[in-house]
Amino acid sequence: MTTPGLDLSSLGWNESLAAELPGGAVPARVARVDRGAADVITTDGHHHAAYGARLRRATAEDPVNLPCVGDWGALTLLSEGRYELDSILPRRTAFVRGGVARDSRGGLSGDSKGQVLAANVDVVFVAEPSMHATDFADLGRVERLLALAWESGAEPVVLITKADLVGEHLAGLLDDVAAAAPGVALHAVSSLTGEGVEVVRSHLDGSRTAVILGASGAGKSTLVNALAGEEVMETQRVRAGDGRGRHTTVHRELIPLAGGGLVIDTPGIRRVGLYEMSQGVDLVFSDIEELAEGCRFGDCSHESEPGCAVLAALESGELPERRLASWRKLQREANWMAGRTDARLRAEQTRKWKIIHKSMRGRSRP
Ligand SMILES: Nc1nc2c(ncn2[C@@H]2O[C@H](COP(=O)(O)OP(=O)(O)OP(=O)(O)O)[C@@H](O)[C@H]2O)c(=O)[nH]1
Ligand SMILES: [Zn+2]
């Protein structure tokens, strides 16, 4: 497909990326990957680019170097309209799934399955429906998804979706969710009435790239369609119906929105349960981390130690019991995941994460 004169800045290209581009190479954004090749978008449109020798060597050394949706790549022009993907530019953020433990040099079993699911995501929308079946929003799930969001290095934003369903309960619900998401922007949104959709879109100003995390039925696809102003995603209602209006085109993974900005949606991103998230948990529970600094013992487990500031806050009612329980649960989960993840990959993630979050924590958007 050829679209002459496409402006790469609408895909998120900027000067700092340009500074990383090898001389003579053509910049392109990865829209989807296949085995050994990627669908890329460059100034003259979509291309199917096979991996060049240099990239194949890098991926053989470490699967983390495999291109993924959202990556920026350097293309080499082979012949008129034919490109090869030669390298991937350094990633600013990454959603990583850690796989089974690696046998470092002649170990017993397994291999490195550290896999980057999406790269260069700027904002992660955590979508939690105001009402799910007969229940209000699930705060534990919000906290869990927030941990995953922080872990990626992108800016988390919590969306209470289907805000039209709860009437006058909305204000109280937003208060509860805000308490579970300190320091994170929070919006109510209804794709049905359009309420809040523009505010969500404003987070994508400057051609930012988003992913939307949330349970099945949270309204993710419906929201993408509302943002796109057209039906780019199949929703549950369409899937459950007679199939009319069903999209027969290949499912796009990098979706440019008509009003600006992009959304990444992949099956991997939808199956969020397996991300590594120990750093993210600390950030979601920054209130508890702060309390813990007041504990008498540096290695306080906040179970029964004397002088425990966390237990004191629980006692006084300052810290809700639900929140402490949620923190413990996510920490156990994160520790378990950490044990399964390749240590080297994790170290690299931690390093990147520290750099990104130093600059992010002070920042907040309206
Ligand atoms: N009342 C109301 N219903 C909504 C809203 N947004 C989505 N829905 C409905 O909720 C159902 C699920 O929406 P989807 O957008 O398919 O949810 P999803 O999160 O993409 O679900 P999965 O694809 O399973 O992950 C559909 O029947 C939608 O019509 C909303 O703002 N208000
Ligand atoms: Zn303590």
Side-chain angles (χ1 to χ4, degrees):
M1 187 176 88
T2 301
T3 333
L6 184 78
D7 182 4
L8 279 189
S9 65
S10 70
L11 296 174
W13 183 248
N14 58 37
E15 277 173 25
S16 65
L17 285 163
E20 305 277 1
L21 189 73
V26 177
R29 194 148 195 204
V30 175
R32 191 187 168 92
V33 289
D34 255 331
R35 218 158 289 199
D39 280 337
V40 299
I41 313 175
T42 183
T43 45
D44 64 355
H46 279 259
H47 294 279
H48 195 68
Y51 300 166
R54 187 171 152 214
L55 183 57
R56 286 201 306 271
R57 266 197 310 278
T59 62
E61 264 168 37
D62 192 333
V64 166
N65 296 323
L66 274 169
C68 69
V69 60
D71 265 328
W72 281 96
L75 301 179
T76 304
L77 183 63
L78 298 178
S79 60
E80 178 63 30
R82 266 187 67 230
Y83 293 101
E84 202 168 70
L85 184 56
D86 211 39
S87 65
I88 291 300
L89 305 191
R91 294 164 173 147
R92 285 173 297 114
T93 68
F95 272 88
V96 175
R97 178 162 58 207
V100 291
R102 181 181 217 164
D103 66 333
S104 50
R105 276 165 232 291
L108 292 169
S109 65
D111 50 355
S112 171
K113 288 275 189 235
Q115 186 194 2
V116 184
L117 297 172
N120 303 320
V121 173
D122 301 296
V123 52
V124 178
F125 294 120
V126 169
E128 176 64 21
S130 66
M131 184 67 100
H132 204 73
T134 54
D135 260 336
F136 289 124
D138 179 339
L139 300 184
R141 182 164 54 206
V142 170
E143 286 161 338
R144 172 171 219 291
L145 294 178
L146 263 180
L148 303 175
W150 279 117
E151 193 75 25
S152 73
E155 178 198 6
V157 172
V158 175
L159 304 179
I160 294 302
T161 55
K162 308 192 187 184
D164 55 279
L165 291 180
V166 285
E168 85 267 23
H169 296 298
L170 184 61
L173 191 59
L174 287 173
D175 282 347
D176 291 350
V177 176
V184 177
L186 167 68
H187 308 295
V189 56
S190 167
S191 305
L192 202 72
T193 67
E195 180 203 344
V197 172
E198 281 313 309
V199 183
V200 174
R201 193 202 306 280
S202 72
H203 283 278
L204 302 178
D205 283 351
S207 299
R208 303 215 308 163
T209 300
V211 304
I212 308 180
L213 304 182
S216 178
K220 300 180 295 294
S221 303
T222 311
L223 179 60
V224 172
N225 289 339
L227 289 168
E230 61 175 321
E231 195 129 326
V232 290
M233 303 278 295
E234 217 175 77
T235 63
Q236 285 188 356
R237 186 167 292 164
V238 174
R239 288 191 294 268
D242 60 3
R244 267 192 317 141
R246 205 168 257 278
H247 288 249
T248 47
T249 51
V250 180
H251 173 64
R252 286 257 186 99
E253 299 195 341
L254 180 73
I255 305 152
L257 303 173
L262 305 110
V263 172
I264 288 178
D265 181 74
T266 72
I269 288 288
R270 288 197 169 215
R271 287 191 300 269
V272 290
L274 294 171
Y275 296 126
E276 210 260 329
M277 58 180 180
S278 52
Q279 306 290 344
V281 172
D282 293 351
L283 276 174
V284 178
F285 294 92
S286 54
D287 51 347
I288 301 183
E289 298 289 332
E290 254 165 52
L291 283 170
E293 280 168 22
C295 292
R296 186 179 307 163
F297 302 112
D299 62 348
C300 186
S301 66
H302 325 302
E303 299 284 356
S304 58
E305 287 90 340
C308 173
V310 173
L311 292 178
L314 193 68
E315 191 85 5
S316 75
E318 182 197 340
L319 177 66
E321 198 154 353
R322 184 205 65 78
R323 193 150 164 84
L324 182 60
S326 182
W327 179 63
R328 290 199 162 122
K329 178 164 169 282
L330 282 171
Q331 272 203 326
R332 275 196 302 275
E333 221 176 293
N335 289 340
W336 181 79
M337 271 310 297
R340 285 166 45 107
T341 307
D342 171 44
R344 190 204 52 73
L345 178 67
R346 202 165 68 240
E348 193 203 334
Q349 273 298 105
T350 305
R351 186 186 52 76
K352 258 195 274 177
W353 173 90
K354 278 190 177 139
I355 296 165
I356 293 161
H357 283 287
K358 256 192 201 135
S359 63
M360 279 217 38
R361 286 200 73 174
R363 210 177 84 202
S364 75
R365 292 170 64 92

